[in-house]
Every structure is written in C-alpha cells, then in structure tokens.
Amino acid sequence: MALGIRKQVLTVLMQGAAVPVIGGLCVRLASALRGPYKDKKYLANLTCNPYISPKAQIWAKDLEIGPQCFVDDYVTIYAHPDGGRIVLGEGVHLYRGTIVEVGAGGSVVIGPHTHIQSNCNLKGFLGNLHIGANVQMAPGCGFSPYEHKFEDTSRPIREQGITTRGDIVIEDDVWLGLGVYVLDGVRIGKGAVIGAGSVVTRDIPAYAIAAGVPAKVIRYRGRRAVEA
Ligand SMILES: CC(C)(COP(=O)(O)OP(=O)(O)OC[C@H]1O[C@@H](n2cnc3c(N)ncnc32)[C@H](O)[C@@H]1OP(=O)(O)O)[C@@H](O)C(=O)NCCC(=O)NCCS
C-alpha cells in the first residue's frame, strides 16, 4: 500500500477508535497494519484519540486518558473498588508490562508527555502518586506511597494493614534511570536526575543528580562541584 494511502487508512481507523461498538475493531485493524512494539506509537499521533492496545488490560471506574496517549501491549491499569482516580495526561506513553494500580483511596496522576518505559510499577494506595509533565522513566522503576505495618511480631505482616508517610511527587522534567525505587513521602524536584538502581528515601532538590542506596546528591546539573 502506498505510504499516503496507508496513512489515510490508519487515520480513518484511529478516528474510528472512539466510535462505540466498532472502536475496538478499528484499533485492532490499525495495529495489524503497523510493526511490533514502538512502531505502534505512530498510531497515537495520527488523531486526537489515544492508542490503547487491544492487549492492554484496563479496569478502572475513575479513569481519564488524554489525547495522543500510547498504552502498549500488556499494560495493566487497575483500580480496586476503593481506589481513587487514575489520570493519564495528553501524550503520556506507558510501555509493556507497566502496571498502574490504585486502592485504599489512593490515586495516580501522570502529567502530559511523560514517558514510562517497560515494567514500571506505579501504585496509589493510601497515599497518592503524582508524576509531573515531561518525566522520562527508564524500565523497571517502582513507586510505593504506602508500606506494610510490621511492628507486631505475633501476627503475619499480611494482617497488620498498611500505612504511609505521605504522597510521592515527581516534579516536571525529572529523568529516572533504570530500576529506580521511590518510597512514600518523597518529592523529587523539577529537573532532577536519579541514577540507575537508586532507592530514593528522602526528598531530592530540583536539578540535583542523585544516585545510590539510599540516593544521595552527587552534584547538580550544569555544575561540576557537589553543593552541600
Ligand atoms: C547518575 C548518572 C546519570 C551519571 O551522572 P554523572 O554526574 O555523570 O556521574 P559520574 O558518572 O561522574 O559519577 C559520579 C559518582 O557517582 C557514582 N554513580 C554514578 N551513577 C551511579 C549510580 N547509578 N549508582 C550509584 N553510584 C553512581 C559514580 O560511581 C561516581 O562515584 P565516585 O565519585 O565515588 O567515583 C549515571 O551514572 C546513571 O546512573 N545513568 C542512568 C543510566 C540509565 O538508567 N539509562 C537508561 C536510559 S533511559
């Protein structure tokens, strides 16, 4: 199929994605006409409609998905009955194996043009997870705005309920390297960079580069020396 015609066909199919009853079929056909994995990102930019893979699993009553979002194969978006809202801003990308899950009144809000690579785990339980705009998240990152209670040694941890030190906030334009974990009550400031494999247990200032377990500031962007 000539390139121009193929684009027109895909555009019509993606326009059809929002039409009740036939929407699912339109998306399946559009998917079949593209290559695998990130080749399907193209479909998210053809119209205002988001591209939601037929292989994604979505079960959430209070869910907003903005225009031009990309929800890849095997992404799970799940709200327990007591979960709060889930918001994907315009142009958010969620890649395969990522799980977004809310319960116990918690919410997950992701700002515009934030890209979340494969196998990330985004939870909103008791506390909320707020991720700003233009955040770049490498594969395998995890966020837990709650912890299990565990002080009582006479009962299984499973029965002791959960607690939180507060919401997790990732401000705009943060880059999180491979396999970063962020614990409850932490705020990562605008433009910060977090090194691969870090566990972030305390707030990180704006434009800092932090790394390690626990993550410590090693320097600031654009400056060579570490500032205390
Ligand atoms: C943090 C990072 C951005 C580099 O920042 P940098 O300012 O150039 O840091 P340097 O390489 O000069 O290292 C400075 C110090 O931090 C340490 N360091 C760097 N990255 C680290 C990490 N991820 N964990 C622990 N320590 C780290 C270095 O060993 C060095 O320590 P030293 O001074 O004792 O020798 C980079 O190391 C990193 O982790 N990048 C993420 C890569 C990634 O996940 N890519 C996925 C693509 S989406």
Side-chain angles (χ1 to χ4, degrees), residues 27-41:
V27 175
R28 274 172 204 277
L29 284 171
S31 289
L33 291 169
R34 293 296 297 179
Y37 194 33
K38 292 188 177 175
D39 202 54
K40 298 189 200 300
K41 278 196 303 186

Side-chain angles (χ1 to χ4, degrees), residues 1-54:
M1 205 185 299
L3 214 58
I5 298 174
R6 179 181 282 255
K7 185 174 181 185
Q8 280 173 24
V9 169
L10 291 173
T11 304
V12 169
L13 288 171
M14 284 310 295
Q15 280 163 347
V19 178
V21 185
I22 62 158
L25 181 63
C26 289
V27 175
R28 274 172 204 277
L29 284 171
S31 289
L33 291 169
R34 293 296 297 179
Y37 194 33
K38 292 188 177 175
D39 202 54
K40 298 189 200 300
K41 278 196 303 186
Y42 179 80
L43 299 172
N45 295 322
L46 284 174
T47 68
C48 282
N49 292 330
Y51 170 80
I52 300 170
S53 165

Side-chain angles (χ1 to χ4, degrees), residues 206-207 209 219-227:
Y207 303 109
I209 301 171
R219 67 181 180 92
Y220 284 81
R221 286 173 60 194
R223 299 184 216 170
R224 298 197 73 79
V226 176
E227 291 189 357

Side-chain angles (χ1 to χ4, degrees), residues 138-139 175 177-178 193-198 209-212 218-219:
W175 172 35
L178 285 157
V193 171
I194 310 296
S198 300
I209 301 171
I218 54 179
R219 67 181 180 92

